[in-house]
Amino acid sequence: MAAILSASVKRWEDFTIIMVMLLVNAFVDFYQESKALNAIAVLKQKLALKSLVKRDGQWQQLPAAELVPCDIIKVKALPQMEWVDYRNPL
């Protein structure tokens, strides 16, 4: 809108500055979006495909997609941490 207004009153310096700022903003936005998508892809690769689940009183290794709300799972956040039991919050 500001670029159109500047062009209509023939303030070419303002028009040029506004257009350059819009182009730089578009480039930065595209760059940040691509970095965010790459970060999401890396996080998806690191997701656990299998879970250690306690069902029927026994620990079983099941695909993470098969978890249900009543499952008790073991979570290990870091290699140096101990296993901790948590109820699945789903």
Side-chain angles (χ1 to χ4, degrees):
M1 184 72 172
I4 295 171
L5 228 78
S6 294
S8 67
V9 294
K10 298 182 181 175
R11 297 197 57 171
W12 302 115
E13 299 84 18
D14 292 345
F15 174 78
T16 304
I17 291 170
I18 292 168
M19 289 305 293
V20 167
M21 288 174 56
L22 287 173
L23 290 173
V24 168
N25 186 37
F27 173 75
V28 169
D29 185 46
F30 175 78
Y31 178 74
Q32 287 179 339
E33 185 74 20
S34 68
K35 295 286 276 183
L37 291 175
N38 289 340
I40 289 171
V42 168
L43 288 173
K44 282 185 179 180
Q45 288 176 352
K46 293 185 179 196
L47 285 176
L49 299 177
K50 299 239 180 216
S51 299
L52 197 54
V53 181
K54 189 173 189 178
R55 281 192 187 165
D56 302 323
Q58 295 183 355
W59 289 103
Q60 308 170 34
Q61 192 168 13
L62 298 173
E66 293 181 11
L67 292 176
V68 295
C70 294
D71 284 341
I72 297 173
I73 60 173
K74 280 193 174 183
V75 177
K76 187 175 184 181
L78 299 172
Q80 55 272 53
M81 290 181 66
E82 295 292 322
W83 285 100
V84 179
D85 290 343
Y86 289 100
R87 292 211 176 257
N88 187 347
L90 297 177

